[in-house]
Amino acid sequence: MLLSHSRENNSFFQPSVFLLIGIPGLEDVYGWISIPFCSMYTLALTGNCLILLSVRRTPSLHQPMYYFLSMLSLTDLGLTLCTLPTTMAVLWFDYRLIAFDACLVQMFFLHSFSVVESSVLLAMSFDRFVAISNPLRYASILTNSVIGRIGVAIVTRATVSLFPVPFLLKRLNFCPEKVQLSHSFCFHADMMKRACADITVNILYGLYVVLSTGFVDSLLIALSYGLILHTVMGLGSPKERARALNTCVSHILAVLVFYIPVIGVSIIHRFGRHAPPIVHSLVAYVYLIVPPVLNPIIYSVKSKHIRKAILRLLRKKG
């Protein structure tokens, strides 16, 4: 079943398929486990689609803040759709095989959407800084064309950053006995560890991508909120300060929901070699599934404008 692709050197081996493990040790209860997973995927898809439709159909939400929220929802939909097919195939049908090239494609989009999400959260922090520090010029600074250019820059950044990764994996000689992946989807760190070759370049480039995207973005988000706090402390009354900070609560929660699992995944991959396999799986699922589920809930609960728009949309559908 596992065929090799030979080059000039006959010892070069690439598996035609990888075997997805899913959640090790819990194979006997996959039917039960599929229920919460299916519920979370349904919530993620429904919630983010409702956000997008609400913003599109409500003229009063055609503002920079909600355009960035739409970008976040689109990104969360992308992340959800990246992992849904293989995860549910493993849990529902015990179908564990994924073609090598399909695994590369899934890995590329999975990590690309992660970089996009980090970049969108950074753009949203800039939006909050402009809205609080210069409210009179907010609309003139963040025009539709500026927001469009920011969106293009975000997608370009993610694509350029991740484009070399599949080719760096494609050049590796893999071990015939190491074709099992640790999850029900394809991670770069997981795939490169299956190689019987020097993966120094892959490790260094992966570290470069993490540092130049997520690490830089988190520092700039922290800087943005430092400037926001400085501006807020200069406002006249406590009521004005509270009102200004309240506009940032949803975004702060979205940042925490994204970056805490990212940190967890990074730590477990680098320092958790002796941790039980189920720990690796659960941390990865939290990283990929929880933010798309929680972000629509956070924004619909904290933003009365989004909440009202969603309720109007649901009434029309009813």
Side-chain angles (χ1 to χ4, degrees), residues 4-7 9-14 170-173:
S4 63
H5 298 292
S6 298
R7 292 182 182 176
N9 186 350
N10 290 328
S11 66
F12 183 85
F13 174 84
Q14 260 179 15
K170 191 85 171 173
R171 70 185 177 86
L172 294 176
N173 183 25

Side-chain angles (χ1 to χ4, degrees), residues 34-47:
S34 69
I35 296 173
F37 271 85
C38 186
S39 300
M40 286 190 290
Y41 278 125
T42 302
L43 277 173
L45 293 172
T46 304

Side-chain angles (χ1 to χ4, degrees), residues 176-205:
E177 69 279 6
K178 294 169 67 176
V179 295
Q180 293 185 343
L181 298 180
S182 303
H183 310 288
S184 59
F185 41 79
C186 302
F187 261 149
H188 174 246
D190 197 19
M191 292 180 70
M192 71 180 180
K193 289 176 183 176
R194 278 30 188 184
C196 290
D198 184 3
I199 59 173
T200 303
V201 174
N202 297 72
I203 293 173
L204 291 176
Y205 190 77

Side-chain angles (χ1 to χ4, degrees), residues 19-284:
L19 184 66
L20 302 172
I21 295 300
I23 306 176
L26 300 180
E27 290 83 359
D28 293 338
V29 290
Y30 273 179
W32 292 105
I33 293 173
S34 69
I35 296 173
F37 271 85
C38 186
S39 300
M40 286 190 290
Y41 278 125
T42 302
L43 277 173
L45 293 172
T46 304
N48 286 292
C49 285
L50 283 174
I51 293 283
L52 289 169
L53 287 172
S54 298
V55 172
R56 181 181 177 184
R57 297 186 179 183
T58 309
S60 63
L61 297 183
H62 294 175
Q63 301 175 32
M65 174 183 175
Y66 300 109
Y67 289 144
F68 286 123
L69 177 57
S70 297
M71 291 183 193
L72 186 66
S73 291
L74 277 173
T75 306
D76 283 337
L77 281 174
L79 269 176
T80 302
L81 293 172
C82 275
T83 61
L84 186 153
T86 51
T87 299
M88 298 316 297
V90 170
L91 295 178
W92 276 348
F93 309 111
D94 198 31
Y95 186 81
R96 301 166 180 268
L97 301 180
I98 183 170
F100 181 81
D101 289 335
C103 197
L104 290 176
V105 171
Q106 185 186 47
M107 180 272 305
F108 172 79
F109 280 106
L110 188 154
H111 289 296
S112 294
F113 279 118
S114 295
V115 172
V116 168
E117 180 133 356
S118 176
S119 303
V120 170
L121 290 171
L122 173 59
M124 294 174 84
S125 71
F126 174 69
D127 167 79
R128 291 298 83 210
F129 170 68
V130 174
I132 291 172
S133 64
N134 208 337
L136 297 179
R137 296 189 59 211
Y138 175 60
S140 62
I141 293 173
L142 288 172
T143 61
N144 289 347
S145 62
V146 169
I147 294 170
R149 287 198 291 270
I150 290 173
V152 171
I154 287 172
V155 173
T156 302
R157 179 199 193 197
T159 304
V160 171
S161 297
L162 273 301
F163 185 76
V165 174
F167 299 99
L168 291 175
L169 286 170
K170 191 85 171 173
R171 70 185 177 86
L172 294 176
N173 183 25
F174 286 81
C175 305
E177 69 279 6
K178 294 169 67 176
V179 295
Q180 293 185 343
L181 298 180
S182 303
H183 310 288
S184 59
F185 41 79
C186 302
F187 261 149
H188 174 246
D190 197 19
M191 292 180 70
M192 71 180 180
K193 289 176 183 176
R194 278 30 188 184
C196 290
D198 184 3
I199 59 173
T200 303
V201 174
N202 297 72
I203 293 173
L204 291 176
Y205 190 77
L207 183 62
Y208 161 74
V209 171
V210 170
L211 293 177
S212 63
T213 56
F215 182 71
V216 169
D217 291 349
S218 61
L219 287 181
L220 292 174
I221 290 171
L223 176 61
S224 295
Y225 274 99
L227 295 172
I228 287 171
L229 283 174
H230 177 74
T231 302
V232 168
M233 290 302 104
L235 295 177
S237 67
K239 189 175 181 180
E240 287 178 333
R241 294 185 201 128
R243 187 165 56 245
L245 288 175
N246 190 53
T247 65
C248 301
V249 171
S250 299
H251 179 252
I252 292 171
L253 291 174
V255 168
L256 293 176
V257 162
F258 177 75
Y259 278 105
I260 290 175
V262 166
I263 293 169
V265 167
S266 300
I267 290 173
I268 204 74
H269 270 293
R270 283 161 179 77
F271 306 110
R273 295 178 182 176
H274 303 296
I278 192 171
V279 174
H280 288 262
S281 294
L282 291 178
V283 170

